[in-house]
Amino acid sequence: MKNVAIVMGGYSSEFEISLTSGEVVYQTLDRSKYNAFRIHIFKDKWVYVNDNKEEFTIDKNDFSTTVNGTKITFDVVFNAIHGTPGEDGTLQAYFELIHMPHTSCNAYQAALTMNKRDMLSVLKPYGIQTAVSYYLNEGDAIDSEQIIEKVGLPCFVKPNRSGSSFGISKAKTEEELLQAITTAYKEDNEIIIESFLDGTEVSVGVINYRGKITVLPMTEIVSENDFFDYEAKYLGKSQEITPARIDDVTRIKIEETAARIYTILRMDGFSRSEFIIVNGEPFLLEMNTVPGLTTESILPKQAKEANIPLTDLFDNAITLALAKHNK
């Protein structure tokens, strides 16, 4: 029996979603193979939380805990933290330093993909198509005319390093653009402003499944709101259609592009990338390396469509994490 630490929570606006994802993993793991432990990671405390809601401090020296005088160590970490510190490379670097196997990609890949600007810059030389973009750092002079000249209106204003659509706005006027910049700065001190791509949005899960890069059936996003924002993602204000209603030629092109991106970035573990299809061509928006694992989340629905039960999906992640560590 392996002791699995399921880390959840985090330091970002996504902590509640992460707690839900982590709880799904906790409830789903095969108890004939694994002893599961909920580990809550917050700025002010790292604790093991048992079924009675009792908390036991995590010793950060070796990521262990002590319960009633007995020290508990873990064989592997299942990472269910969206945003910082679980998706931006911080925790990955810590686990790599203490030689702890974990289910997510390595620290560099996590940091790179969390930073939308850096990731898109790395992929552009490989011919991956993206929106026209304009970058701003907090404190930079804001020349709205120059921004509009480059990206046009409407445009999207996004925090450079955040998830679950926190801080993202669609701006249709110069006034809305300035307001959107203020909103984005509440989430991050770096922002990215992108041209509006008029097309079909799809979300594409790519995972390493049993040692093979596997593209899951993709999901078409039809938002009731102006775009796939927080309400659309989590409060039912969207249709998520799996598999997406696209022709086979386009589907194959997107699958090949998504698998290629996973390979170029030397990814591992889970990933979910968002694309807009414009005239049959996929344009990459972003990649998530710790996608939502709640019952409402896209990747679990895609796995189900591919006839991969959640138990198998999570078991596979742990098996690969242990195998990678033992190489």
Side-chain angles (χ1 to χ4, degrees):
M1 293 277 279
K2 300 286 187 190
N3 283 354
V4 181
I6 305 162
V7 298
M8 56 186 94
Y11 307 164
S12 77
S13 303
E14 296 182 89
F15 78 92
E16 287 182 0
I17 301 154
S18 169
L19 290 173
T20 308
S21 287
E23 188 61 28
V24 170
V25 178
Y26 180 79
Q27 297 295 344
T28 306
L29 279 188
D30 183 348
R31 290 303 195 274
S32 69
K33 295 173 76 170
Y34 305 115
N35 296 314
F37 297 82
R38 293 183 195 86
I39 309 296
H40 287 190
I41 290 186
F42 296 110
K43 278 183 180 171
D44 58 343
K45 62 182 180 183
W46 289 23
V47 290
Y48 156 53
V49 182
N50 68 13
D51 287 339
N52 297 323
K53 303 285 193 289
E54 295 173 295
E55 296 185 355
F56 302 88
T57 302
I58 294 292
D59 182 346
K60 294 178 186 174
N61 290 298
D62 60 358
F63 200 69
S64 66
T65 190
T66 301
V67 179
N68 301 328
T70 303
K71 180 170 177 170
I72 299 171
T73 58
F74 304 106
D75 298 294
V76 61
V77 169
F78 194 110
N79 182 8
I81 294 181
H82 317 306
T84 187
E87 200 169 5
D88 62 0
T90 307
L91 265 190
Q92 288 87 340
Y94 163 70
F95 290 134
E96 285 156 29
L97 278 173
I98 63 169
H99 305 292
M100 173 67 72
H102 59 87
T103 56
S104 41
C105 57
N106 292 337
Y108 172 73
Q109 278 77 10
L112 178 66
T113 50
M114 189 71 181
N115 188 309
K116 297 180 184 76
R117 296 175 356 180
D118 288 359
M119 183 191 72
L120 296 174
S121 300
V122 165
L123 290 170
K124 274 180 184 172
Y126 289 91
I128 304 300
Q129 298 184 91
T130 63
V132 176
S133 56
Y134 188 104
Y135 300 162
L136 276 178
N137 293 337
E138 200 162 19
D140 287 355
I142 298 168
D143 186 335
S144 51
E145 278 185 28
Q146 189 181 60
I147 295 168
I148 292 166
E149 191 179 325
K150 184 168 187 193
V151 303
L153 287 173
C155 63
F156 281 101
V157 183
K158 308 175 179 180
N160 189 34
R161 299 162 296 191
S162 83
S164 293
S165 299
F166 284 111
I168 297 182
S169 309
K170 183 178 178 181
K172 298 171 187 167
T173 64
E174 184 175 1
E175 191 179 340
E176 286 182 4
L177 170 65
L178 295 171
Q179 180 56 51
I181 289 168
T182 303
T183 301
Y185 276 142
K186 288 175 186 169
E187 291 288 330
D188 193 6
N189 59 13
E190 298 175 356
I191 63 176
I192 179 170
I193 304 170
E194 292 182 328
S195 60
F196 170 64
L197 295 170
D198 192 4
T200 302
E201 181 167 355
V202 290
S203 189
V204 188
V206 184
I207 60 173
N208 182 337
Y209 189 64
R210 297 179 178 168
K212 181 172 177 257
I213 293 174
T214 302
V215 183
L216 298 171
M218 63 189 71
T219 301
E220 179 183 346
I221 310 295
V222 184
S223 176
E224 289 176 24
N225 294 352
D226 239 1
F227 64 99
F228 195 42
D229 60 5
Y230 181 88
E231 276 193 339
K233 276 184 180 166
Y234 298 106
L235 304 178
K237 299 275 186 170
S238 69
Q239 279 181 284
E240 295 167 7
I241 301 159
T242 311
R245 302 168 298 180
I246 53 176
D247 62 82
D248 284 347
V249 172
T250 306
R251 178 181 56 76
I252 290 164
K253 187 181 286 185
I254 296 167
E255 286 175 351
E256 288 174 348
T257 303
R260 190 161 164 255
I261 290 168
Y262 193 94
T263 306
I264 290 166
L265 297 177
R266 299 176 181 270
M267 279 299 302
D268 220 350
F270 299 112
S271 78
R272 201 193 72 230
S273 299
E274 318 300 328
F275 293 89
I276 301 278
I277 308 165
V278 182
N279 299 323
E281 293 295 323
F283 286 73
L284 176 68
L285 296 180
E286 64 178 32
M287 177 189 276
N288 301 282
T289 58
V290 186
L293 299 171
T294 71
T295 48
E296 293 305 304
S297 299
I298 290 170
L299 193 112
K301 289 178 179 174
Q302 295 179 344
K304 186 179 179 184
E305 184 69 26
N307 295 315
I308 302 171
L310 276 189
T311 312
D312 285 7
L313 188 71
F314 299 158
D315 179 63
N316 175 73
I318 291 168
T319 302
L320 289 176
L322 289 165
K324 183 169 83 166
H325 185 72
N326 293 329
K327 267 186 186 176

